[in-house]
Amino acid sequence: MEALFTFPSSQTRALQVNFCKNPRCQNFGVPASGSKFARRLKAGALPGKDYRLAAGGAGLPLLKCLLCGEHLPLKSNLGIAEELSRLTAHFQAVRHCCPTEGCSNSDIATPDSSAYYRFGKTEGGSSRFQCKVCKKTFSVSNRSTLRQREARKNVPLLQSLVNKVPLARAAEIHGISFQTIYDKLDFFHRQVLSFTSRQEIRLRELVNGTKRYISVDRQDYAVNWTHRKDKRNVVLRAIGSADLDSGFVFGMHLNFDGNQDAESVESDALSIGDYGQALPHRRYARLWLKEDYDKAVAASAAKAAKRAGSAGLLGDDIQQRYDETGLREDVENSERVSTEQRFPAKGMQVRSEYTMYAHFYELHDILRGAQKLRFFMDQESGIRAACLAAFQDEVTERRADAFFVRLGKELTVDEKRKIVRASRELFAEKRGANPGLTDFEVQVLMMKEQVAASAEFGKWSDRWALHPFPNQAEPQKAVCYLTDFGDYDEDHKARLFLKATLHPIDRFFMSIRRRLNMLKRPIGTASKAGRTWYGYSAYQPANIEKLLTVFRAYYNYCLPGADGNTPAMRLGLMSRPVEPAELLGM
């Protein structure tokens, strides 16, 4: 059953992700009928009936497309809607309206001049308003720091947190306790959400009619153990999307819901028989329940041996990722639950594919007015499925395209320089052989040659082409065109391949590692059997979520690049860098 969701832009959309994700199949975007499935393909079958249910193991039903043979795991549309509601909750900011019950202005926020008169200020400096309908007067505080005893330390502490100062050193520098730091982080989080919700509601207008190139990738974070007798990490994953031209990060979403109480959810799940239902039919489909987590941990040891092996050449790395995907019971779920991981002590871990679906649906609400959209995504089937589900209409109308991008890993600086140098020499040779072409035309020519020589990988026979122009950030790169309908000429396709990059989002990820001491990558050792512990890491998952939210705003609005502009300025959202005090509403 589809789920209805109303976005912050007031657009209501029916969420339905249970359809064939093969863009070249006639069933792409055509949902299964739900109650009846065809047992065999018949001529003239009705839309939605060209599917049948199949068992996927571990209580996971699969939907088989009878037109192209694809198998896709069923998902809970309600679960995606719930996760989307969590990700967009900050747009539903506290609204100060007429407090009189039943008044027609009770849902109209101040300072709407058509609904309220300004009525001076209180002795404390709060603004007073009078309702034009019922004449009720009420006040609205103008001070975000009301009742804060050391508000002057807010901005210095924020700058410490985003410049890799450990919490213990920040407490020493600013003369405050750890509890005060955590209280102020809560305050920063609230104020930043209020600031970004006001600014980013205008994003929809800014992107209308434009061409946007979006890079998408994920980053993992480990939470330290808190008990010596249980030295297992909580490992969470965030998905982020960044604009190629401006570097603006549209979203950074962690698969963790701090508002959920695990004990209450587990109790309710048992009482309503959730464990007896297939995963997509559960009330709590989007959340990891304890019994499911324990089963996944038990199954991980057997799969670990099959995953064993190190990546070598870039082609081997691409094939290895396809092989790993083939081992999953749910191809869209890339979470590696292991014996060295555990449940969060507070809050609940969200199944990562539900966060990915919600991420792309929020992105769709922001970008739906764009003229053209190109997505450059890390090679991950869950990201692919979520993108094609959210932007199915745009893909069908040929207003959106999706690409996989895979980068070479573990190269030394000398190896990177050697690869870049060889690429430049090859370009110079090709340039000399084609004196009548411009530099860009030579680049297109070389890319066309690589596309023509592309190789097939995986059971889906995806075609990958090497990118002929590496750089230090991406010294080895291969690109796969996921939505190739054969309707673009060779030059057009080559230009899209040349654009493909993960650099905008990976640059943001690098900034997180380098600027947020709490989220620096920990180091695992053989003696720890895969466990990691880093003295400055977070001990509560909720603090990771808050810090990511605060840093995304700081990165977008306050942090200028080499050109002197912030990502928000390049996007046209702001005309100047935002001062940290303004970000905090001070």
Side-chain angles (χ1 to χ4, degrees), residues 163-191:
N163 281 284
K164 211 173 183 180
V165 176
L167 295 190
R169 302 291 79 77
E172 179 181 328
I173 291 169
H174 303 295
I176 55 180
S177 67
F178 275 93
Q179 186 57 53
T180 299
I181 290 179
Y182 291 126
D183 290 343
K184 287 188 178 296
L185 180 57
D186 290 342
F187 169 73
F188 296 167
H189 182 243
R190 291 193 303 270
Q191 293 304 110

Side-chain angles (χ1 to χ4, degrees), residues 189-491:
H189 182 243
R190 291 193 303 270
Q191 293 304 110
V192 160
L193 286 177
S194 177
F195 177 88
T196 55
S197 62
R198 291 195 306 272
Q199 300 300 327
E200 294 175 12
I201 202 72
R202 296 166 39 223
L203 278 177
R204 294 147 185 83
E205 300 173 6
L206 286 174
V207 301
N208 278 351
T210 65
K211 294 181 180 180
R212 309 264 37 123
Y213 302 88
I214 313 295
S215 298
V216 187
D217 203 351
R218 300 157 302 154
Q219 192 171 54
D220 292 350
Y221 306 103
V223 181
N224 278 341
W225 58 79
T226 55
H227 301 287
R228 294 177 64 87
K229 293 183 179 180
D230 186 1
K231 296 182 178 181
R232 293 179 297 164
N233 296 106
V234 175
V235 179
L236 301 174
R237 173 168 288 178
I239 180 171
S241 295
D243 183 60
L244 190 153
D245 295 325
S246 67
F248 189 90
V249 181
F250 289 110
M252 184 67 175
H253 298 129
L254 190 71
N255 65 326
F256 174 78
D257 190 343
N259 293 322
Q260 296 293 331
D261 179 70
E263 186 175 338
S264 299
V265 170
E266 288 285 348
S267 176
D268 192 42
L270 287 170
S271 66
I272 63 178
D274 238 17
Y275 281 115
Q277 300 291 325
L279 283 172
H281 304 316
R282 293 180 180 180
R283 169 63 187 85
Y284 297 104
R286 73 183 178 101
L287 301 174
W288 274 102
L289 299 179
K290 188 176 186 307
E291 185 178 312
D292 296 324
Y293 201 87
D294 291 343
K295 288 180 179 178
V297 168
S300 67
K303 296 178 182 177
K306 296 180 180 180
R307 290 195 197 103
S310 58
L313 300 174
L314 182 56
D316 297 334
D317 189 40
I318 293 171
Q319 184 60 52
Q320 182 178 336
R321 178 58 64 89
Y322 280 114
D323 293 341
E324 290 177 355
T325 301
L327 294 175
R328 303 176 194 161
E329 291 164 345
D330 182 346
V331 297
E332 296 178 10
N333 183 1
S334 59
E335 286 180 284
R336 292 185 179 180
V337 179
S338 75
T339 55
E340 303 307 326
Q341 297 175 17
R342 65 173 177 83
F343 250 18
K346 295 181 180 179
M348 295 195 72
Q349 187 169 335
V350 179
R351 293 178 180 270
S352 63
E353 68 270 27
Y354 282 87
T355 303
M356 287 191 285
Y357 271 108
H359 175 88
F360 275 101
Y361 272 106
E362 182 185 4
L363 206 58
H364 181 274
D365 185 50
I366 296 171
L367 301 174
R368 70 178 188 276
Q371 179 187 0
K372 293 283 187 180
L373 292 168
R374 316 295 188 198
F375 293 97
F376 304 126
M377 309 177 295
D378 181 39
Q379 184 195 351
E380 173 50 55
S381 57
I383 295 180
R384 171 189 176 275
C387 177
L388 295 180
F391 290 90
Q392 178 267 320
D393 288 338
E394 287 76 9
V395 171
T396 301
E397 296 167 4
R398 306 305 295 124
R399 292 194 297 114
D401 280 299
F403 295 78
F404 270 160
V405 179
R406 192 69 181 166
L407 306 178
K409 305 290 185 180
E410 309 299 332
L411 295 176
T412 66
V413 173
D414 288 340
E415 288 172 334
K416 292 178 181 180
R417 289 173 178 169
K418 183 177 180 181
I419 292 171
V420 172
R421 184 167 57 250
S423 170
R424 289 173 179 170
E425 292 173 355
L426 184 60
F427 174 77
E429 180 182 334
K430 186 70 71 171
R431 184 77 177 82
N434 295 273
L437 301 180
T438 65
D439 286 355
F440 182 68
E441 288 172 338
V442 173
Q443 291 177 352
V444 172
L445 175 63
M446 294 177 67
M447 189 71 252
K448 285 164 60 177
E449 292 174 351
Q450 291 294 337
V451 172
S454 59
E456 292 185 354
F457 289 89
K459 70 176 185 179
W460 296 279
S461 299
D462 290 340
R463 300 193 66 85
W464 288 79
L466 287 175
H467 197 290
F469 300 104
N471 54 47
Q472 287 289 106
E474 297 178 332
Q476 284 185 325
K477 180 164 57 178
V479 183
C480 175
Y481 187 11
L482 298 171
T483 52
D484 187 359
F485 289 85
D487 53 342
Y488 294 156
D489 60 53
E490 292 183 355
D491 283 7

